[in-house]
Amino acid sequence: MGKTLAEKVWEAHVVSRADGEPDLLYIDLHLVHEVTSPQAFDALRSAGRVVRRPDLTLATEDHNVPTIDIDKPIADPISRAQVEALRKNCAEFGVPLFPLGSEDQGIVHVVGPQLGLTQPGMTVVCGDSHTSTHGAFGALAFGIGTSEVEHVLATQTLPLKPFKTMAITINGPLPEGVTAKDLILAVIAQIGTGGGQGYVLEYRGEGVEGLSMEGRMTLCNMSIEAGARAGMVAPDDTTFDYLQGRPHAPQGADWDAAVAYWKTLRTDADARFDAEVVIEASELSPFVTWGTNPGQGVPLAGVVPSPDDAADEVERVAIERALEYMALTPGTPIREIPVDTVFVGSCTNGRIEDLRAAASILEGRKVADGVRMLVVPGSVKVRLQAISEGLDRVFIDAGAEWREAGCSMCLAMNPDKLTPGERSASTSNRNFEGRQGPGGRTHLVSPQVAAATAVTGHFASPADLA
Amino acid sequence: MEAFTVHTGTAAPLRRSNVDTDQIIPAEYLKRITRHGFEDGLFSAWRSDPDFVLNQPEYAGVSVLVAGPDFGTGSSREHAVWALQDYGFTVVISSRFADIFRGNSGKAGLLTALVDQETVERLWALIEADPTTAVTVDLEAQTVSAGDLVASFDVDPYVRWRLLQGLDDIGITLQKEDAIATFESSRPAYSPTTIG
């Protein structure tokens, strides 16, 4: 029987295998940031261990860093201490680091791909659940906890039990106005936040093949919100074109050898998935979450659901609780819900294509009175690219705040937060209670819907703007 | 890591589903660079509510948490496990755990006992009827018992073995140093490095 893409990558990384034990898997790239690494470095230090492969490890500062006044010391002393701990640890253990102020600094999942470090067939880990992003290149990429960060630092391997595989096939091209974000929100609404538990998702079909690398990254990024540790897309010419010429991509004969191998990384025709989901692209439309987990979403044209719609008691209680937290009434049209803040950014939608999409809608328009809009590039490189294209002027002229790179309001570890009761349209990945600040109410949307919503002050799609 | 064999303690019922790691400990508590002291962040948004279960005096000193399905979804933060441990929890019982949370628990020595939802409901009823009910979790026998209830639970066999032995994963892996070195020497020449 043939193998799936995920199985091929897995098999190519087995260091040792024995009955009754997890496989020991080699890790090709370990990305590190300031929040989930200090305890791991501490443990190495107290055990007298070294980082086995600093040359396969890369650190960047992203979660905690401010997005204004980055030339000044970080104001919050605890954030500053954490960032300083990362700098000290990287220096001591020889790990390359892109600190605040570096031209390569940015969100860890934006930085890896833009440098060409994320390549097909690799294993990529990071102490961050959105590591699934890198699966867009046909890499097996997943988030790990701090104990595992320590394990990879010390051994460049991880003991792992094989995942099951799930195919998510998108038949037909995405309709006009439907983005990768809408697609993944629809997938999560269909299979649920636990639907992918124990699986690696492979996104396939025409609706996926037609996506750019940025779109594929958005798609794979939110695999974790369906409970799956990893999501993958088989590499193709779109992948190779994106990679060629990037600083860490292979060159010359190495490039040819790499591409020849990468072309074998497709699920075999006779391979079997443990589960399959099929979605007709023609049925998709812009999507908005209404609740407090990413599976609680509906089309923009829809209404806030009622607890009476629940399939069981557990779901009924969950809907009631979410409606109460979100201060929403069943039956309210999504388009009638007003927002206070619009956030464009994050590892989900903070890439250049996302900023271009938002800017194209804001061009010649204004952010509605009383609405605050933050645009936070995913990396310094994305920021510089946007500036070279004049996108910064579009945002500023529309009345949005144009910020420096970082995770920012996606998880509110830095000063960018919602205040209690404030409601956002956010291009990030999690609408959990308090995720964007205590008491904040988050609705997840695409950059296109975010920009249109900023203009009207309530949820809207670009098509709604006359 | 300390070996885990049998644990007996009182339990708290957490009648919520989809308790994500942002609820277990919000991001603002993750700035600490030490390994301990995360108990103040545990369920911090809910702890300000006097009706929250852990604020009830009858649930003081609990060491077993009985939670609704899909516990630990979301972020990979191991701080969620540490916060539960620092507060005093040794075992979490649920009918469904998120993968990364469950993996992190196994590494850090917090037992995640997977039972069916019916067992969760029965435990909730027992504990709420009498919060002093002792709940015993036997990792060797893989059983949860409380009052007249005895139910088996699922745990990954390898994690179970490691917890019973109290073994450190890195120590186990470093015994395979030769295999790692052999694998490394066979990696393709075009594999990227982060330096240069």
Side-chain angles (χ1 to χ4, degrees):
Chain A
M1 196 174 69
K3 288 194 171 72
T4 64
L5 164 61
E7 288 160 347
K8 287 181 184 185
V9 179
W10 183 285
E11 286 301 322
H13 289 84
V14 176
V15 169
S16 82
R17 175 173 282 166
D19 280 348
E21 288 180 23
D23 283 354
L24 189 65
L25 236 58
Y26 199 80
I27 302 303
D28 291 318
L29 178 63
H30 184 193
L31 301 166
V32 172
H33 63 81
E34 74 274 20
V35 178
T36 55
S37 66
Q39 294 85 357
F41 281 113
D42 258 358
L44 282 189
R45 198 176 285 119
S46 59
R49 289 171 176 149
V50 298
V51 174
R52 181 183 179 88
R53 294 296 300 267
D55 61 329
L56 302 183
T57 312
L58 179 68
T60 176
E61 299 167 0
D62 56 8
H63 280 63
N64 255 309
V65 299
T67 55
I68 47 171
D69 297 334
I70 63 163
D71 52 335
K72 302 195 180 91
I74 298 175
D76 173 4
I78 312 174
S79 288
R80 189 168 68 231
Q82 195 166 57
V83 168
E84 281 167 0
L86 180 70
R87 291 176 188 174
K88 180 174 144 286
N89 287 329
C90 287
E92 179 181 339
F93 288 93
V95 172
L97 165 72
F98 296 135
L100 200 58
S102 154
E103 211 176 79
D104 283 307
Q105 179 264 338
I107 307 176
V108 69
H109 310 307
V110 177
V111 169
Q114 81 187 7
L115 285 169
L117 276 170
T118 303
Q119 297 174 14
M122 287 174 59
T123 47
V124 181
V125 299
C126 173
D128 188 287
S129 61
H130 292 111
T131 309
S132 57
T133 310
H134 306 262
F137 292 80
L140 182 61
F142 48 90
I144 56 179
T146 299
S147 292
E148 290 173 309
V149 169
E150 181 193 348
H151 196 283
V152 178
L153 289 172
T155 70
Q156 204 58 33
T157 65
L158 268 184
L160 288 166
K161 257 180 46 170
F163 301 115
K164 292 180 286 182
T165 59
M166 183 187 290
I168 298 192
T169 305
I170 315 301
N171 281 333
L174 296 189
E176 180 76 27
V178 174
T179 69
K181 183 63 164 285
D182 303 310
L183 169 57
I184 187 61
L185 287 174
V187 167
I188 301 164
Q190 179 166 333
I191 72 172
T193 55
Q197 258 168 43
Y199 291 96
V200 173
L201 311 182
E202 182 183 332
Y203 302 100
R204 52 214 313 255
E206 197 181 348
V208 176
E209 288 157 15
L211 292 175
S212 65
M213 287 314 295
E214 281 88 348
R216 294 177 190 186
M217 283 189 255
T218 300
L219 185 62
C220 290
N221 171 276
M222 288 188 69
S223 302
I224 181 66
E225 312 313 335
R229 275 179 92 165
M232 301 176 87
V233 176
D236 59 12
D237 286 341
T238 303
T239 321
F240 309 147
D241 291 347
Y242 178 96
L243 275 170
Q244 194 161 25
R246 291 193 180 260
H248 290 266
Q251 294 179 354
D254 277 348
W255 172 261
D256 297 337
V259 171
Y261 172 59
W262 295 345
K263 285 185 171 170
T264 69
L265 297 174
R266 304 191 73 81
T267 292
D268 295 326
D270 58 342
R272 253 214 324 268
F273 289 94
D274 296 304
E276 297 204 47
V277 172
V278 177
I279 288 177
E280 299 300 328
S282 59
E283 293 170 9
L284 297 171
S285 63
F287 229 74
V288 180
T289 64
W290 56 268
T292 54
N293 73 58
Q296 293 176 320
V298 292
L300 173 67
V303 300
V304 174
S306 158
D308 300 338
D309 304 336
D312 56 41
E313 179 62 13
V314 169
E315 193 192 349
R316 193 185 63 76
V317 173
I319 294 177
E320 271 178 0
R321 189 173 162 77
L323 290 177
E324 186 192 336
Y325 182 85
M326 295 296 288
L328 291 172
T329 310
T332 307
I334 298 293
R335 280 192 167 91
E336 291 180 8
I337 302 172
V339 305
D340 307 296
T341 291
V342 174
F343 172 63
V344 172
S346 85
C347 61
T348 309
N349 282 123
R351 298 182 182 79
I352 189 67
E353 197 175 90
D354 302 311
L355 300 193
R356 285 179 190 141
S360 73
I361 293 149
L362 285 176
E363 179 123 48
R365 296 191 169 103
K366 293 281 181 201
V367 173
D369 283 347
V371 173
R372 162 175 71 143
M373 182 178 190
L374 257 70
V375 183
V376 182
S379 71
V380 175
K381 285 274 165 67
V382 168
R383 187 171 192 277
L384 295 174
Q385 176 70 27
I387 290 171
S388 77
E389 296 178 19
L391 307 185
D392 57 327
R393 286 312 321 167
V394 175
F395 293 124
I396 292 164
D397 291 348
E401 296 177 39
W402 172 244
R403 297 293 190 89
E404 306 281 349
C407 297
S408 180
M409 198 184 269
C410 174
L411 85 169
M413 277 194 86
N414 77 349
D416 308 338
K417 291 180 180 23
L418 296 181
T419 54
E422 232 188 318
R423 188 181 298 283
S424 77
S426 176
T427 67
S428 56
N429 41 56
R430 289 190 172 135
N431 51 346
F432 297 156
E433 291 180 22
R435 169 81 175 182
Q436 297 190 291
R441 298 170 178 142
T442 303
H443 298 262
L444 303 176
V445 295
S446 69
Q448 286 83 341
V449 169
T453 299
V455 171
T456 61
H458 50 80
F459 288 101
S461 73
D464 296 333
L465 303 177
Chain B
M1 194 163 66
E2 253 178 77
F4 188 118
T5 47
V6 179
H7 174 78
T8 299
T10 54
L14 185 63
R15 284 187 176 268
R16 294 183 196 216
S17 60
N18 257 300
V19 174
D20 56 71
T21 52
D22 274 78
Q23 305 316 312
I24 300 174
I25 186 164
E28 61 193 278
Y29 290 94
L30 310 186
K31 297 178 183 179
R32 208 170 277 141
I33 57 176
T34 53
R35 169 64 181 75
H36 291 288
F38 291 96
E39 65 276 6
D40 55 345
L42 182 71
F43 301 128
S44 76
W46 300 338
R47 293 263 286 280
S48 57
D49 172 5
D51 292 336
F52 181 58
V53 62
L54 293 185
N55 291 333
Q56 308 307 307
E58 59 268 36
Y59 295 113
V62 288
S63 58
V64 177
L65 185 67
V66 185
D70 290 317
F71 188 81
T73 55
S75 151
S76 64
R77 60 189 70 165
E78 197 163 316
H79 312 68
V81 176
W82 304 338
L84 286 160
Q85 290 180 313
D86 290 349
Y87 184 85
F89 287 109
T90 305
V91 181
V92 183
I93 298 172
S94 174
S95 64
R96 208 155 61 191
F97 292 100
D99 287 341
I100 301 182
F101 175 80
R102 205 165 190 217
N104 288 343
S105 297
K107 307 283 180 192
L110 175 74
L111 177 63
T112 52
L114 186 71
V115 299
D116 53 27
Q117 186 59 26
E118 190 199 327
T119 301
V120 169
E121 305 275 354
R122 289 178 63 194
L123 281 168
W124 280 343
L126 272 171
I127 304 162
E128 285 168 357
D130 179 5
T132 66
T133 303
V135 177
T136 296
V137 181
D138 184 334
L139 182 56
E140 187 76 60
Q142 283 185 235
T143 56
V144 179
S145 40
D148 57 358
L149 167 78
V150 181
S152 61
F153 67 83
D154 262 4
V155 58
D156 178 83
Y158 184 75
V159 170
R160 174 174 171 271
W161 171 76
R162 264 188 42 249
L163 290 176
L164 285 170
Q165 306 291 323
L167 282 177
D168 163 16
D169 246 1
I170 296 179
I172 300 172
T173 298
L174 286 175
Q175 292 169 7
K176 297 173 183 160
E177 159 65 33
D178 289 352
I180 299 173
T182 303
F183 184 93
E184 267 176 340
S185 64
S186 68
R187 295 176 74 235
Y190 53 75
S191 305
T193 67
T194 56
I195 293 171

